[in-house]
Amino acid sequence: MDTSLSPIRLYGSSASYFTGKMENYFRVRGVPYTQETMYFPESVKQNIANLGVAQMPTVQLGDGRWMTDTTAMIQWFETQIPEHRIIPDDPAQRFLCLLLEDYADEWLWRPAMHYRWYYPKGAYLLSRHLVDELVRNLPAPKALLRWNLRRRQRGGYTAGDGVGPEAVAGTEAIYGRTLEQLEHIFSQRDFLLGSKPSLADIGFSGPFFRHFAFDPIPLEILRQQAPATLAWVARLWAYAPSKGGEWVEGIPNDIGPILDEIGRAYLPYLNANVDAVAAGKKTFDATIDNVPYRGARYSRYRVWCLAQLRAELEAMAAPARPQVEELLNRHGCLDPLYARSELPLLPDQEAGLPFNGSTKMVGVNE
C-alpha cells in the first residue's frame, strides 16, 4: 500500500450503518486504520469545510486529504491497493456486486432505520448510546438530548421518510424476505459469491453489522430465523486476506430472489424518487410492492445511483452485456432500470467524489 495513505483515520460512530460498512471493507482488505468518534456539532463544520457535505463516515488519509461516501471511497481504494481486491474482474460479477451494494445501501436502509427508531426498546437504547458517544460535550441535559435525537431520527428517516402506520408491516416484510434469501445462500457457502468476500458482502454488511445484528429487535429475529446469516456477519468481520478463498464462476442461481426483489421494489422506488426530483418535490407518495409510502423524502443522490448503474451496464463490452441484460430481464430488473429516459441530475453531480460531495443521501436536515 502507498505509504502516503497511512495513517488512515475513519471518523464515525460505533453504531453507524456506513461506518460499519467501511470498517468491514478495511478489515477484509487488510488495510490498517483507526476508528475515531465523529463529535457533533464540531464535525459538521469540519466536514462541510473539507468535503462540501456533512455525513458519516469520513476518512482522513495520511497526506491530509479527506474523503466521503463509502461507495466512492471503496472504489477509489480498489484502484490504489491492487492486492486482494473485492470487486471481481468478471464483468457480470462486477455489475452484480455494484447492484447489490447499491440495493443494500439505499433500500435495506429503510427497514434498518425502522427497527432502530420505531420500537421504544431500540430507540431508547440507541439514543442513549449515540448521545453518550457523539454529543457528550453539548451543554444540555442528557435526557433532552436523547429525546431530541429520537424525534430527529423518526422525523427524518422513519415516519418522516414514508414509513407511516400503513407501511410498517410491509417494511418489516422486507427484512423477513432478506433473511430468507440470505439464509438459503449462507447455509451453502461462506459468502455471497463463494469462499471469500466480495463487494456484495461489504454492501450487505451496512444494514447487518451495525443494525440488524446490533439493535435488539432485529437481532432477536436474526438469531431465531437466520442463524447462518448471523454467522456470516461474524465470519465477514473475522476474515483476513491471508484466509484466501475463491469466487464461483458466473452468477449463482440463488442470487435470483434478491434480484427479483430489486426489480419488483427497489428500482421502482428509484423511479418514483426520480419523478419527485424532476418535479421539484421534497417529499412524495409511492406504492412500492403493494406497500404505501406516504411523504417519503426526496434524494438527488439516489438519482445519481441510478445513473451510475446504467453507466456501468452501458460500458460493458460484448459478450458480457447481452448476458447481463438477459439476467436482469429474467428477474424484472432491466425495464425499471431504464423506465425513465431522462434523469434530473445536477451539473457534474458527485463528480468530485470521494474527495468532495454534491448531495447528501437523503434530503433531510439540510
Side-chain angles (χ1 to χ4, degrees):
M1 186 176 74
D2 185 348
T3 56
S4 69
L5 302 182
S6 298
I8 293 173
R9 295 183 174 89
L10 173 66
Y11 290 88
S13 164
S14 62
S16 159
Y17 196 107
F18 290 105
T19 306
K21 176 190 173 187
M22 203 67 202
E23 282 196 85
N24 272 279
Y25 173 74
F26 283 146
R27 289 172 67 91
V28 163
R29 291 296 313 274
V31 175
Y33 73 99
T34 58
Q35 198 271 308
E36 303 188 24
T37 300
M38 185 181 286
Y39 293 113
F40 292 89
E42 300 92 335
S43 292
V44 172
K45 298 176 182 178
Q46 183 182 63
N47 287 348
I48 292 174
N50 289 303
L51 294 162
V53 293
Q55 56 191 9
M56 180 184 293
T58 59
V59 166
Q60 186 180 27
L61 300 174
D63 61 13
R65 287 179 294 174
W66 287 83
M67 307 175 74
T68 188
D69 189 276
T70 57
T71 296
M73 286 194 289
I74 287 170
Q75 292 192 24
W76 185 84
F77 275 108
E78 288 287 284
T79 68
Q80 302 299 305
I81 307 172
E83 302 85 6
H84 311 295
R85 290 193 180 108
I86 62 162
I87 299 180
D89 291 329
D90 176 80
Q93 290 186 335
R94 173 186 167 88
F95 183 82
L96 177 73
C97 282
L98 295 172
L99 178 61
L100 293 185
E101 181 201 24
D102 191 68
Y103 168 71
D105 280 357
E106 310 298 331
W107 185 243
L108 294 185
W109 164 268
R110 176 163 270 108
M113 295 299 283
H114 162 75
Y115 275 112
R116 174 165 289 185
W117 299 111
Y118 180 76
Y119 291 101
K121 185 176 183 180
Y124 279 86
L125 176 66
L126 268 297
S127 62
R128 179 178 294 275
H129 179 107
L130 290 168
V131 164
D132 288 347
E133 182 184 24
L134 303 179
V135 295
R136 60 189 181 186
N137 296 323
L138 285 181
K142 291 294 183 67
L144 178 61
L145 291 173
R146 292 192 291 267
W147 173 84
N148 188 61
L149 180 61
R150 292 192 297 271
R151 181 185 63 84
R152 177 186 183 276
Q153 297 301 89
R154 288 167 173 162
Y157 303 112
T158 60
D161 191 25
V163 187
E166 68 279 9
V168 167
T171 300
E172 294 185 356
I174 297 169
Y175 180 48
R177 290 192 300 272
T178 299
L179 293 186
E180 291 178 7
Q181 294 156 3
L182 295 181
E183 190 69 2
H184 180 70
I185 294 170
F186 296 134
S187 295
Q188 301 179 68
R189 60 182 180 275
D190 286 348
F191 299 102
L192 282 164
L193 288 183
S195 57
K196 68 176 182 178
S198 68
L199 177 64
D201 295 279
I202 299 301
F204 273 82
S205 76
F208 273 89
F209 182 62
R210 289 275 167 72
H211 278 255
F212 296 149
F214 186 91
D215 296 349
I217 303 298
L219 172 57
E220 185 57 28
I221 297 170
L222 180 59
R223 276 199 293 252
Q224 296 298 328
Q225 297 185 15
T229 304
L230 180 58
W232 159 81
V233 176
R235 188 162 55 247
L236 183 66
W237 182 248
Y239 182 86
S242 60
K243 295 185 177 182
E246 301 292 338
W247 290 318
V248 299
E249 292 186 8
I251 307 299
N253 289 332
D254 53 19
I255 299 290
I258 303 177
L259 294 175
D260 292 337
E261 187 95 14
I262 292 172
R264 192 180 66 246
Y266 177 53
L267 293 175
Y269 174 78
L270 287 187
N271 289 322
N273 176 71
V274 165
D275 293 342
V277 173
K281 296 180 178 179
K282 300 294 186 181
T283 62
F284 62 96
D285 298 343
T287 298
I288 305 296
D289 200 17
N290 297 317
V291 180
Y293 299 101
R294 302 288 178 254
R297 302 274 180 173
Y298 85 108
S299 171
R300 285 194 175 277
Y301 179 82
R302 287 174 180 156
V303 177
W304 179 78
C305 290
L306 183 57
Q308 291 299 106
L309 290 173
R310 290 185 183 183
E312 184 70 27
L313 182 60
E314 290 161 8
M316 198 179 299
R321 181 174 175 179
Q323 294 171 353
V324 171
E325 288 180 340
E326 191 280 326
L327 175 71
L328 295 175
N329 189 54
R330 192 188 328 146
H331 293 283
C333 295
L334 191 59
D335 285 347
L337 187 64
Y338 286 95
R340 303 297 184 270
S341 57
E342 298 294 330
L343 298 181
L345 294 164
L346 296 172
D348 298 322
Q349 184 176 333
E350 316 307 343
L353 288 176
F355 298 103
N356 187 270
S358 302
T359 60
K360 294 172 64 176
M361 185 180 80
V362 181
V364 61
N365 302 316
E366 295 180 332

